[in-house]
Amino acid sequence: MADLASDHTTTGADTRVYSLKQVVNAALASGLPVAVWRLPLGAATHACISFDKAFQVEHPELENSPFGFLFSPFVVGEQPSVFIKADITYSSGTGLLQFSDAVTQTQKQEFIVALESAETTNYSWHLNSSEAIHQQTEAGFKNAVTEAVKTIEGGQMEKVVLSRTAAKPLPADFNLVDAYSLMLEAYPRAFATLVSVPGTGTWMGASPEILVTIDPEKIFRTVALAGTQPAINGEPVGNAIWRQKEIEEQGMVERYVLSCFKKLRLREYTEVGPRTIVAGNLMHLRTDFSVDLKEVDFPTLGTDMLHLLHPTSAVCGLPKEPALNFILAHEGYGRSYYSGYLGPVNSPDGTHLYVNLRCMQLQKDQAILYAGAGITAESNAAKEWQETQHKMQTMLKILTKF
């Protein structure tokens, strides 16, 4: 398979251009953390690499952060939030490397040497240093859904999002960057990511859900995304028919975003939706919210909304505290970075944090796929299991191409 860039780069007087495969392999060979991403409908893939091998942050603050990539778990504190500082940056649009001022001449030269042998050699990705991942069975998931419906009917919560895993063997000829390239082709409208950090592990995903973005024009954005049904090839989204269950689920997520604005006493925002959008092989209901920070004096809105929103009602439930407690008590495994958030911070394209959905974690010889479903009083355990099956097709489709 062809790489995303041809073969030349620049580092001071060096004018060669490198492929994405060379850059990722050089980072892995050097034992360095690397993050790769492409924005929805973006033309170029970007990467950053840090010489800090374990840069953890407790409470991310977006406004004062250097350029880098943030990778945070579902439950803050159970795993660390990792920040991959952009010591080295790369764009497939040019094939050029750039080194920050913090990089020493020795570090630069050692990385360039690693690049020279990185095109033809496949290096192992970084693995999670913790124990084996617990799996959620079909029976366990369906029992949790049944228990959740009872709890909701009892008035203890309105909605809870339950998830599960599936372990799939990696094909013998699986290649990390080739898999990422396939993901870019298959899901042009998704936020496509590849993150590999020593001790933390390696994750790939194609997420449809914005958590917080702030573009170079200082426009803040977030979305309310909920409701799921299969997308039919060639069928206009305007023909989608939504059940009451999905409409109510979307309304809950929308009200939660508005409640966060209310807590911050923010009244100057724009709301558009809900409307039907396509994400891979699925359709969802989505409402977009935006704030023009050039006109609204709220310099910390990004950080404040990040901490209020996460975990969103779309991946946790409502009210947040009883829903989260139910998940921790009944889900049967630890989500780790699934349904956390990730993305570039203060890049030339701005800050773009997405919920880590439609993703998989790569182990030595298998992939762990993750998917969840929103449970309300109208939920049926068999249908919710089927919804997770549909969502797992996003990553399963990539594995089956090898």
Side-chain angles (χ1 to χ4, degrees), residues 78-364:
E78 286 199 355
Q79 286 85 23
S81 291
V82 176
F83 185 73
I84 302 171
K85 185 161 59 71
D87 291 326
I88 306 173
T89 57
Y90 170 82
S91 169
S92 69
T94 62
L96 302 179
L97 284 181
Q98 298 205 1
F99 294 84
S100 78
D101 293 341
V103 177
T104 67
Q105 193 64 29
T106 299
Q107 289 172 325
K108 184 185 296 187
Q109 291 304 319
E110 287 177 350
F111 192 79
I112 291 173
V113 169
L115 282 163
E116 298 306 320
S117 61
E119 180 73 26
T120 56
T121 306
N122 290 327
Y123 295 91
S124 298
W125 45 86
H126 299 307
L127 299 175
N128 189 330
S129 59
S130 63
E131 297 179 2
I133 298 169
H134 296 290
Q135 303 293 310
Q136 171 62 291
T137 64
E138 181 176 355
F141 178 83
K142 289 181 176 179
N143 287 339
V145 171
T146 301
E147 190 63 33
V149 171
K150 290 178 184 176
T151 303
I152 292 167
E153 289 176 341
Q156 297 173 46
M157 57 187 178
E158 293 180 64
K159 168 194 170 183
V160 65
V161 179
L162 293 176
S163 68
R164 55 102 173 184
T165 58
K168 301 292 180 182
L170 287 175
D173 57 347
F174 180 84
N175 177 278
L176 189 63
V177 181
D178 286 349
Y180 183 76
S181 300
L182 288 169
M183 196 168 66
L184 294 182
E185 295 166 12
Y187 306 113
R189 296 179 178 273
F191 177 62
T193 54
L194 165 61
V195 183
S196 191
V197 178
T200 299
T202 299
W203 292 70
M204 292 178 60
S207 177
E209 184 168 351
I210 293 170
L211 182 61
V212 164
T213 76
I214 304 171
D215 67 23
E217 285 70 47
K218 299 297 181 185
I219 305 297
F220 165 94
R221 290 183 174 88
T222 189
V223 304
L225 186 78
T228 301
Q229 62 175 289
I232 301 172
N233 287 337
E235 185 73 16
V237 294
N239 292 351
I241 298 173
W242 293 97
R243 297 178 301 166
Q244 188 64 26
K245 186 251 184 189
E246 283 92 7
I247 294 170
E248 289 181 357
E249 191 180 345
Q250 159 66 15
M252 289 179 189
V253 179
E254 192 174 307
R255 290 194 295 275
Y256 180 72
V257 174
L258 292 172
S259 73
C260 292
F261 284 155
K262 188 174 181 180
K263 286 178 182 176
L264 297 175
R265 294 185 173 87
L266 177 70
R267 298 181 179 86
E268 300 87 0
Y269 59 85
T270 300
E271 178 181 351
V272 178
R275 56 196 173 91
T276 301
I277 60 110
V278 175
N281 60 326
L282 300 172
M283 292 191 295
H284 306 284
L285 285 167
R286 169 170 152 170
T287 301
D288 291 77
F289 299 90
S290 62
V291 178
D292 189 338
L293 295 176
K294 298 187 298 297
E295 298 179 359
V296 178
D297 185 20
F298 210 129
T300 62
L301 182 62
T303 297
D304 292 345
M305 283 296 288
L306 174 65
H307 295 313
L308 283 174
L309 287 170
H310 180 70
T312 70
S313 55
V315 299
C316 181
L318 284 171
K320 184 184 289 190
E321 188 172 348
L324 180 58
N325 290 338
F326 186 93
I327 289 168
L328 298 178
H330 294 89
E331 200 162 60
Y333 80 103
R335 291 188 185 184
S336 184
Y337 292 88
Y338 165 66
S339 68
Y341 59 88
L342 74 175
V345 176
N346 291 332
S347 77
D349 294 321
T351 293
H352 299 270
L353 299 178
Y354 280 68
V355 183
N356 193 22
L357 301 175
R358 314 292 190 273
C359 62
M360 60 182 174
Q361 181 179 9
L362 297 177
Q363 297 184 300
K364 185 177 181 180

